[in-house]
């Protein structure tokens, strides 16, 4: 490919050099012809003014003219002959001017005797050997009484044209050599990113998912392609590693309940076949088997949800994160009422962020489900929404107002802070969900969002996939999720959503 690209670039440069060289060579030939014609006409004008055609012309004038013509021919090799109106040669630089004219001389003489000047010659080529003929009429008292004709050899002019053409061709040759080197270097520069991409793609196709394209020289468009390729490779590697981890975790998590289910079914079969086994024992075995089956079904549902989350998604768009939070709180109010748990909404009424509303709603559902599940009866789950203000002081916080739970109104009444100032003055949005449940031990906090992880002290049923789903959904559009212990105990989950791109 580099050879073909170099040949194409070289062809283009050759066309450019040829398009410049041919007009220059033509101009040199034309310039030499015009110069020579101008010189001849100037010389002929001098002779025309001194031709003694008057009847009383003396011998001295005639001899002076013939001497000048002879001297002129001797110095420049150009023969000049003066003809009268009857086409007879009257004066010449040599003793025996011929009366036999060649076609060029005859045409020039006719032109001059008709009162006109011979035309400018087009070009003088290095290979021209035919002499050039020029003529001027001799006018006396308004009448053409004769003509002066010159016959100039073109060897000197042709040699000058050849010399100038040689210099021009030498410069063109040097430029062509430079063009060859430039074309090869330009082809290497253009194709270097492609070669790096090809090498990285080959390594990845061979199984090395850690291969990346090293950044280097090349056109900006191809360097952006390298960056996009590396980002794609990172996502592909992450997806493959997540898939492997998911399969490993799923296999591990499914193995235990499935083995337990098989053991209980076996025990149930033995108990049913043994005389004297009570119906209560059989019922207990059946209930345990059903519980294991439900747990296994729940685990499969969560795994399917997690797989859906990792493989699909909408692009991030500017949205009101507070509105999404309020919409999900309205949904979870029913659950909070049933479990006698207060829902408290704090922060601002509007908070712009760059994310996907569906992904954010899914993450909030997983976090609120976990908070409501582990909060005790009469407890409180607090949801705080506020921008990360960089340039403005933090406004005073209003007192919390219960939005759900025992004794609360079924209509949402939001707690609003002072409205946000106009313009994007924040650096993202923080959504914090705090419960007053038992919380998690400090050493286990980093594992809360791991798949299938559940606290050993957990009393509630669960698959350990909810927080993993929430983290995956938030991080899909460059958000983050952190889990720590609340100020008064319990678990505090903080979601950070990136700001809307734009001038700050």
């Amino acid at each position: 490919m580099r050879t073909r690209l170099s040949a194409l670039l070289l062809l283009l440069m050759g066309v450019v050099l040829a398009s410049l060289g041919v007009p220059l060579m033509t101009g040199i030939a034309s310039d030499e012809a015009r110069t020579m014609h101008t010189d001849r006409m100037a010389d002929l004008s001098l002779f025309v003014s001194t031709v003694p055609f008057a009847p009383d012309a003396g011998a001295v004038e005639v001899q002076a003219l013939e001497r000048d013509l002879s001297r002129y021919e001797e110095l420049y090799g150009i023969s000049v002959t003066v003809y009268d109106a009857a086409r007879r040669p009257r004066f010449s630089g040599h003793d025996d001017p011929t009366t036999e004219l060649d076609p060029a001389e005859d045409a020039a003489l006719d032109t001059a005797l008709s009162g006109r000047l011979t035309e400018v010659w087009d070009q003088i080529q290095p290979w021209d050997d035919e002499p050039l003929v020029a003529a001027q009429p001799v006018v006396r008292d308004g009448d053409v009484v004769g003509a002066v004709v010159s016959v100039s050899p073109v060897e000197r002019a042709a040699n000058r044209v050849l010399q100038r053409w040689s210099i021009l061709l030498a410069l063109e040759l040097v430029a062509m050599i430079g063009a060859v080197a430039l074309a090869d270097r330009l082809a290497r520069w253009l194709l270097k990113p492609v070669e790096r991409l090809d090498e990285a793609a080959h390594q990845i196709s061979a199984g090395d998912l850690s291969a990346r394209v090293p950044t280097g020289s090349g056109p900006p468009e191809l360097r952006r392609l390298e960056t996009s390729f590396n980002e794609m490779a990172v996502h592909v590697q992450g997806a493959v590693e997540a898939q492997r981890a998911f399969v490993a975790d799923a296999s591990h998590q499914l193995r235990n309940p499935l083995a337990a289910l098989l053991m209980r079914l076996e025990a149930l079969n033995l108990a049913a076949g043994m005389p004297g086994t009570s119906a209560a024992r059989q019922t207990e075995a059946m209930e345990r088997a059903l519980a294991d089956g439900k747990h296994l079904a729940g685990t499969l549902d969560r795994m399917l949800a997690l797989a859906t989350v990792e493989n699909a998604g909408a692009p991030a768009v500017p949205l009101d994160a507070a509105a999404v939070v309020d919409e999900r709180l309205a949904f979870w109010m029913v659950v909070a009422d049933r479990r006698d748990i207060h829902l408290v909404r704090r922060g601002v009424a509007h908070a712009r962020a760059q994310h996907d509303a569906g992904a954010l709603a899914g993450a909030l559902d997983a976090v609120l489900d976990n908070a409501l599940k582990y909060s005790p009866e009469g407890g409180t789950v607090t949801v705080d929404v506020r921008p990360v203000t960089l340039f403005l002081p933090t406004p005073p916080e209003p007192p919390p107002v219960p939005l759900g739970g025992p004794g609360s109104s079924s209509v949402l009444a939001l707690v609003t802070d002072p409205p946000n100032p106009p313009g994007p003055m924040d650096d993202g949005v923080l959504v914090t969900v705090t419960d007053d449940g038992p919380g998690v031990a400090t050493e286990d906090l980093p594992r809360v969002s791991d798949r299938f992880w559940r606290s050993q002290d957990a009393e509630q049923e669960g698959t350990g996939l909810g927080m993993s789903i929430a983290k995956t959904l938030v991080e899909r559009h460059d958000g983050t999720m952190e889990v720590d212990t609340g100020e008064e105990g319990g678990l505090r989950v903080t979601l950070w959503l990136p700001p809307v791109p734009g001038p700050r």
Side-chain angles (χ1 to χ4, degrees):
M1 182 176 181
R2 191 179 69 191
T3 303
R4 291 193 290 272
L5 182 59
S6 299
L8 178 61
L9 294 174
L10 189 60
L11 177 62
L12 294 176
M13 294 179 183
V15 170
V16 172
L17 291 176
S19 61
L20 294 175
V22 171
L24 286 175
M25 294 175 69
T26 305
I28 291 172
S30 300
D31 179 67
E32 194 67 33
R34 284 193 299 271
T35 302
M36 187 173 177
H37 183 270
T38 303
D39 292 343
R40 291 296 87 76
M41 297 308 289
D43 297 340
L44 293 181
S45 298
L46 178 62
F47 291 126
V48 166
S49 63
T50 59
V51 170
F53 269 124
D56 55 350
V60 177
E61 296 177 350
V62 173
Q63 291 177 357
L65 175 61
E66 289 179 348
R67 185 173 59 254
D68 293 341
L69 293 176
S70 176
R71 183 61 176 168
Y72 184 78
E73 183 175 356
E74 180 182 353
L75 288 176
Y76 304 109
I78 302 172
S79 65
V80 179
T81 305
V82 180
Y83 295 88
D84 59 15
R87 305 174 64 88
R88 293 174 299 191
R90 293 286 301 275
F91 309 105
S92 177
H94 45 278
D95 297 333
D96 187 18
T98 180
T99 58
E100 297 295 333
L101 302 178
D102 61 20
E105 293 175 316
D106 190 64
L109 180 58
D110 289 342
T111 301
L113 291 178
S114 64
R116 294 178 288 116
L117 302 177
T118 51
E119 297 180 353
V120 179
W121 305 314
D122 294 334
Q123 295 178 357
I124 295 178
Q125 310 291 349
W127 49 84
D128 287 341
D129 56 1
E130 293 293 331
L132 297 179
V133 180
Q136 279 194 24
V138 179
V139 181
R140 295 291 184 267
D141 299 330
D143 297 328
V144 177
V145 298
V148 180
V149 179
S150 68
V151 179
S152 305
V154 298
E155 284 77 8
R156 293 182 180 178
N159 289 335
R160 288 195 295 271
V161 172
L162 178 61
Q163 183 179 7
R164 296 173 66 181
W165 280 17
S166 300
I167 296 174
L168 179 62
L169 290 176
L171 294 177
E172 291 261 347
L173 180 60
V174 173
M176 200 64 190
I177 294 174
V180 171
L182 180 62
D184 182 70
R185 190 174 184 84
L186 184 59
R188 289 176 181 270
W189 181 73
L190 289 173
L191 296 180
K192 196 63 178 178
V194 178
E195 294 176 354
R196 295 195 295 262
L197 282 169
D198 178 67
E199 183 177 357
H202 177 72
Q203 292 177 356
I204 291 177
S205 62
D208 183 10
L209 298 180
S210 63
R212 299 291 182 271
V213 181
T215 57
S217 61
E221 293 80 2
L222 293 181
R223 293 205 301 270
R224 284 197 297 271
L225 178 61
E226 289 178 341
T227 303
S228 301
F229 182 88
N230 286 337
E231 293 175 355
M232 180 194 68
V234 170
H235 288 300
V236 169
Q237 185 181 19
V240 172
E241 291 177 352
Q243 184 180 16
R244 290 173 180 172
F246 182 76
V247 172
D249 293 342
S251 300
H252 177 73
Q253 293 298 322
L254 289 176
R255 183 179 59 186
N256 291 338
L258 184 59
L261 178 61
L262 294 175
M263 292 176 62
R264 295 188 193 286
L265 290 175
E266 184 179 358
L268 180 61
N269 184 35
L270 292 175
M274 293 178 61
T277 303
S278 64
R281 186 175 179 183
Q282 295 181 21
T283 301
E284 180 184 1
M286 179 61 73
E287 290 177 350
R288 291 181 177 178
L290 290 174
D292 290 338
K294 291 180 180 178
H295 179 72
L296 187 59
T299 302
L300 291 176
D301 290 341
R302 287 290 188 179
M303 288 171 56
L304 181 60
L306 184 58
T308 304
V309 166
E310 291 178 340
N311 295 327
V317 296
L319 55 83
D320 187 354
V324 177
V325 171
D326 294 339
E327 190 268 337
R328 298 322 300 165
L329 284 177
F331 174 81
W332 286 98
M333 278 183 62
V334 178
V335 180
D337 281 337
R338 187 170 64 245
R339 297 180 183 175
D340 293 338
I341 298 174
H342 294 280
L343 273 180
V344 177
R345 165 72 161 86
R346 302 178 66 175
V348 296
H350 303 283
R352 297 177 73 243
Q354 185 80 2
H355 213 274
D356 170 33
L360 178 58
L364 288 171
D365 285 345
V367 175
L368 290 173
D369 179 39
N370 188 77
L372 293 173
K373 185 184 299 181
Y374 290 99
S375 292
E377 290 186 3
T380 302
V381 173
T382 304
V383 181
D384 186 281
V385 181
R386 64 182 66 250
V388 183
T389 304
L390 294 180
F391 307 108
L392 298 178
T394 303
E397 296 182 354
V401 177
L403 299 181
S408 64
S409 171
S410 58
V411 180
L412 279 175
L414 301 178
V415 179
T416 60
D417 281 349
N420 291 335
M425 297 295 291
D426 56 9
D427 189 24
V429 174
L430 287 179
V431 179
T432 306
V433 179
T434 307
D435 63 57
D436 52 2
V440 177
T442 304
E443 61 272 16
D444 291 335
L445 285 175
R447 301 187 58 194
V448 170
S449 58
D450 291 348
R451 292 169 181 165
F452 301 110
W453 183 87
R454 297 185 70 248
S455 173
Q456 295 180 355
D457 300 332
E459 297 178 356
Q460 301 290 335
E461 287 290 338
T463 60
L465 289 173
M467 300 299 283
S468 177
I469 291 175
K471 185 177 181 181
T472 302
L473 288 170
V474 172
E475 291 180 347
R476 173 185 296 170
H477 298 302
D478 301 327
T480 62
M481 188 183 83
E482 295 182 358
V483 181
D484 59 354
T485 302
E487 296 178 357
E488 299 179 358
L491 198 67
R492 179 171 59 193
V493 181
T494 303
L495 308 179
W496 177 80
L497 307 176
V500 177
R504 303 189 60 82

